[in-house]
Amino acid sequence: MALKRMDNIGIVVEDLDETIEFFRELGLELEGRAIIEGEWAGRVTGLGDQHVEIAMMRTPDGHSRLELSRFITPPVVADHRNAPVNALGYLRVMFAVDDVDETLERLRKRGAELVGDVVQYKDAYRLCYIRGPEGLLIGLAQELG
């Protein structure tokens, strides 16, 4: 049996509403919101009794999703939001965009900050990293040509 697809990437946040609006501005669509709790959920995550509010965001092509989670219980135990790019673990999500400059302009109105510079890689891409809501590290890639 073969792998079918990557279903989603999960990101834990404090302010779910602000983060939803940021990713909407980027171009993702809110697919739905729900409260996840109960014995079955704790068995999956290993956290026991949990109460989590989630929002599922879908990319315009319908192939990728972000699951944004706000833990009510148990409380969050670590904070990796301001880790540099070379820290161990999952740190960033990269999005393909039509126009890096236009996307940056829109996201700056929602508090996004450029991490380094917008750079061009050969004749293939313009790339940058930004810090979004709550310091989340997000990559933007514009394919050239």
Side-chain angles (χ1 to χ4, degrees), residues 22-42:
F22 180 88
F23 283 111
R24 273 187 170 155
E25 186 67 42
L26 180 57
L28 278 73
E29 179 182 330
L30 178 63
E31 197 171 64
R33 289 178 81 152
I35 298 292
I36 305 297
E37 60 186 339
E39 182 266 340
W40 71 271

Side-chain angles (χ1 to χ4, degrees), residues 2-8 62-65:
L3 177 74
K4 292 170 71 174
R5 69 177 181 275
M6 183 185 76
D7 192 66
N8 70 67
H63 296 294
S64 302
R65 289 173 178 76

Side-chain angles (χ1 to χ4, degrees), residues 37-110:
E37 60 186 339
E39 182 266 340
W40 71 271
R43 286 188 19 241
V44 170
T45 63
L47 294 176
D49 185 28
Q50 66 181 31
H51 186 100
V52 183
E53 182 181 10
I54 68 160
M56 193 64 76
M57 307 288 298
R58 182 178 57 236
T59 57
D61 65 3
H63 296 294
S64 302
R65 289 173 178 76
L66 286 181
E67 180 181 303
L68 305 173
S69 302
R70 182 178 70 87
F71 277 80
I72 299 160
T73 57
V76 174
V77 296
D79 190 341
H80 303 284
R81 291 175 290 187
N82 293 309
V85 174
N86 62 339
L88 295 174
Y90 297 102
L91 285 170
R92 68 144 174 87
V93 179
M94 177 74 74
F95 292 98
V97 298
D98 288 331
D99 184 324
V100 165
D101 297 317
E102 185 271 333
T103 303
L104 276 173
E105 184 65 29
R106 284 188 296 113
L107 295 179
R108 280 185 169 132
K109 294 174 184 173
R110 294 217 173 261

Side-chain angles (χ1 to χ4, degrees), residues 8-26:
N8 70 67
I9 294 174
I11 301 175
V12 177
V13 300
E14 287 180 320
D15 189 331
L16 194 57
D17 292 327
E18 176 188 358
T19 308
I20 288 169
E21 290 310 313
F22 180 88
F23 283 111
R24 273 187 170 155
E25 186 67 42
L26 180 57

